[in-house]
Amino acid sequence: MNSAPPYAPRLLPLRLPRVCVAVIGSDPNEMAEKAELLVLDNPFLEFRLDYLSKPGLAMPRIKRFMETHPGTVVIATCRRLASGGKFRGSIASQLDVLGKAAAAGCRLVDVELQTASKCKPEQLQKLRTRGALILSFHDFRATKKLDETLEKMLAYPADFYKIVSTATTLADNVTMIKFLAREGDRHSLVGMCMGEQGIISRVLGVRAGSVFTFASAIAGEETAPGQVTAQELRNVYRIERVDVATRVYGVVGDPIAHSLSPAIMNAAFRRENVNAVYLALHAKTLKDLLTCVREIPIHGISVTMPYKEAILPHLDNTDSHTTKIGACNTVVRAQDGKLYGFNTDASGIVRPLERRLNTLEGARILVIGAGGAARAAVFGLKERGSEVYILNRTAAPAKKLAHQARARIIKRPDLKKLAFDVIINATPVGMGNTRETPLQENEINARYVFDMIYDPAETRFLKLGKERGAQVIPGIEMFAHQAARQFEIWTGKPAPWDEMLRVVLLALQERTNRSVAAK
Ligand code: NAP
């Protein structure tokens, strides 16, 4: 007998929370214990029974859990191997497990289209009398034929139709979101794209028409590729608040998975009560990104490697600073759809220095490097009236930059003859490696040393600078200041600088802890 209260299928979607957390375990006790911890913050769970070696034996433990947590809504899923799950049993035993799980108190059961197509209608009907039925379909390769798939699924009476595809481009999210918007009013749909590129649909799908979305309990326990933790969906992306008025921003790059930008920008939006969400967008081509910017629409993007220069021809206008630097790291999409480019890297360099030095006017500053970030530094500092020297491994780009910005070139042997107010490392030398340094200790003669690298937080260059008595400015300050300027451009509000720095330092520390633990 089903001990759950009588169920009214058509009311359930209205009462369901937006996030369903998938719970896995190696045995029923472990799964239930994890659920006990999760249930405090998550009243909507999915028990992945197919992860258990003997799902049929889990029922007493599930029943006990449901009796102690009557307010919790649980989906029972026992996905077969052939449908992308782990259950090796027959369809009859899958249905048997799901029926028993419903009797134990799981209010929803998930059956794949592949299973449904091999069942007798009365088998599905019987299951449906015990729990609300989610008919699901997963495409592990692509996002295509969503309408045809739904059409096929509608032949089977169900309470929810769940279609999960795979995003291989950002534009696949547009396909999913348009589908949800089109069909979400007529059917109880759950839809999202798997894969790293599916993040847009995971966050914005719920406002388009997906009744809910799925999340993992913790990092490392994803039950589908690209799944985000429930904590991240709630705390970083604030999914419970995403609505039609929510503005969408993102950072675009390739790769992008380790970007700290979503943490810092979403924290700033939260602190300043801006109804906006900021996503990590893995674009393999600019064409793909621009489709999303137009169609989602995305209101602003942070641009990172390898698109800072390549995006310039796609912009309708750029500020003079961006034109001079020849690289854009910030795009604003105006109401008329036009794209405007800015470069906030110069603010990322100038602002930390202005906080420490009374003035940059006349300050003698050495910039090591002549790439994109060095160009932002040199132009930004020259605008403030600094006396700028450039040192670069290759002569030609340094000469070109010195000529364009009216800065000076310096050769390495001449370093010992000069004292600087600031030395800035604008090369990747020392990144992820604490032994490399762009200068040796006896070449560092400055009041401040500033490393643009922020991983590791303290580079060898900064350590040597400290030993030489200089004050150090870590790269994370540049990162936070350039992000703060982006926030100001997009919102017109002063950036919550302290909060942004606090959050990004925490994220960096967590990342370091994770990589230490993994070693
Ligand atoms: P980029 O355009 O590729 O320029 C790299 C520069 O570093 C070039 O001048 C290059 O010299 C030099 N370089 C590269 N490898 C070198 C080596 N082994 N020895 C000596 N010089 C070397 O890169 P970018 O965009 O300017 O970025 C530079 C650094 O700044 C990166 O570490 C990046 O992560 C960091 N950055 C940090 C922030 C932040 O927010 N903290 C923002 C932007 C950039 P050649 O001309 O000889 O090739």
Side-chain angles (χ1 to χ4, degrees), residues 47 55 94 134-135 138 205 214 260 280 285 320 333 337 360 368 372-373 425 428 437 451 461 470 491 502:
F47 285 166
Q94 179 194 18
I134 303 176
L135 188 68
H138 294 76
F214 285 87
L260 295 170
T285 63
S320 63
R333 182 187 181 277
L360 287 176
I368 311 169
N425 176 30
T437 170
D451 203 333
F461 173 57
T491 65
R502 185 188 72 77

Side-chain angles (χ1 to χ4, degrees), residues 144-461:
K144 60 176 200 274
K145 298 185 180 167
L146 301 180
D147 294 283
E148 287 98 314
T149 305
L150 179 62
E151 200 60 40
K152 278 187 208 154
M153 295 172 88
L154 290 174
Y156 303 90
D159 300 279
F160 299 90
Y161 295 91
K162 173 184 166 191
I163 300 186
V164 182
S165 62
T166 296
T168 57
T169 62
L170 291 175
D172 282 337
N173 291 276
V174 177
T175 306
M176 175 58 79
I177 281 171
K178 283 187 172 174
F179 165 73
L180 291 169
R182 215 168 38 240
E183 299 293 338
D185 278 349
R186 296 196 285 151
H187 309 285
S188 286
L189 292 184
V190 177
M192 73 211 68
C193 301
M194 294 183 280
E196 190 199 346
Q197 288 171 303
I199 181 72
I200 302 177
S201 70
R202 287 189 181 276
V203 176
L204 302 184
V206 287
R207 79 169 179 184
S210 182
V211 181
F212 57 89
T213 192
F214 285 87
S216 61
I218 53 168
E221 292 201 352
E222 297 80 13
T223 55
Q227 209 172 54
V228 182
T229 65
Q231 200 192 15
E232 209 177 338
L233 272 185
R234 292 225 174 76
N235 298 348
V236 178
Y237 299 116
R238 294 182 297 161
I239 192 163
E240 314 283 3
R241 288 162 171 251
V242 168
D243 59 22
V244 284
T246 303
R247 295 167 77 87
V248 183
Y249 296 88
V251 55
V252 59
D254 181 19
I256 203 68
H258 298 295
S259 173
L260 295 170
S261 296
I264 194 170
M265 280 302 186
N266 285 309
F269 289 145
R270 186 175 54 228
R271 171 55 66 98
E272 291 304 306
N273 269 324
V274 178
N275 185 3
V277 65
Y278 184 99
L279 306 164
L281 307 173
H282 183 182
K284 289 185 188 151
T285 63
L286 270 181
K287 190 167 168 264
D288 184 26
L289 169 77
L290 294 169
T291 305
C292 270
V293 169
R294 275 195 303 273
E295 305 262 348
I296 293 286
I298 295 175
H299 294 85
I301 45 175
S302 312
V303 185
T304 176
M305 296 286 284
Y307 298 127
K308 283 184 170 186
E309 286 100 26
I311 196 147
L312 289 174
H314 301 278
L315 303 174
D316 293 290
N317 210 343
T318 51
D319 69 342
S320 63
H321 207 65
T322 307
T323 315
K324 271 196 272 182
I325 296 168
C328 162
N329 77 337
T330 309
V331 175
V332 175
R333 182 187 181 277
Q335 284 208 325
D336 59 5
K338 288 202 167 139
L339 303 180
Y340 297 96
F342 299 86
N343 191 310
T344 67
D345 279 340
S347 300
I349 294 145
V350 166
R351 287 183 180 189
L353 291 175
E354 283 180 336
R355 285 180 154 228
R356 290 164 168 96
L357 278 72
N358 276 341
T359 173
L360 287 176
E361 174 99 44
R364 183 182 284 171
I365 301 181
L366 171 66
V367 176
I368 311 169
R375 291 180 67 83
V378 171
F379 281 110
L381 293 166
K382 282 299 292 182
E383 259 176 30
R384 297 293 196 282
S386 304
E387 185 188 343
V388 181
Y389 290 78
I390 302 165
L391 173 72
N392 192 46
R393 177 178 63 177
T394 315
K399 268 191 192 153
K400 186 176 164 201
L401 175 57
H403 176 71
Q404 289 173 331
R406 296 174 191 277
R408 298 178 189 194
I409 299 273
I410 188 165
K411 295 210 170 76
R412 198 155 173 174
D414 295 333
L415 281 180
K416 288 177 196 152
K417 297 180 201 156
L418 279 183
F420 295 95
D421 291 300
V422 186
I423 301 179
I424 302 173
N425 176 30
T427 76
V429 180
M431 191 188 264
N433 178 337
T434 43
R435 290 189 6 199
E436 283 185 351
T437 170
L439 295 184
Q440 296 309 316
E441 188 176 349
N442 60 359
E443 293 172 310
I444 301 174
N445 187 4
R447 289 162 61 205
Y448 293 91
V449 289
F450 186 167
D451 203 333
M452 290 195 188
I453 292 169
Y454 56 78
D455 193 4
E458 190 177 50
T459 58
R460 182 157 160 75
F461 173 57

Side-chain angles (χ1 to χ4, degrees), residues 29-49:
N29 268 334
E30 191 191 301
M31 190 178 72
E33 276 159 22
K34 282 185 188 169
E36 302 276 356
L37 292 176
L38 285 167
V39 82
L40 300 171
D41 297 320
N42 304 284
F44 188 18
L45 304 175
E46 178 189 40
F47 285 166
R48 284 298 300 259
L49 303 174

Side-chain angles (χ1 to χ4, degrees), residues 68-83:
T68 43
H69 302 284
T72 307
V73 179
V74 174
I75 303 174
T77 300
C78 191
R79 202 170 314 297
R80 297 184 69 229
L81 210 55
S83 307

Side-chain angles (χ1 to χ4, degrees), residues 4-16:
Y7 159 63
R10 264 165 296 144
L11 294 179
L12 192 57
L14 303 176
R15 288 190 273 115
L16 286 178

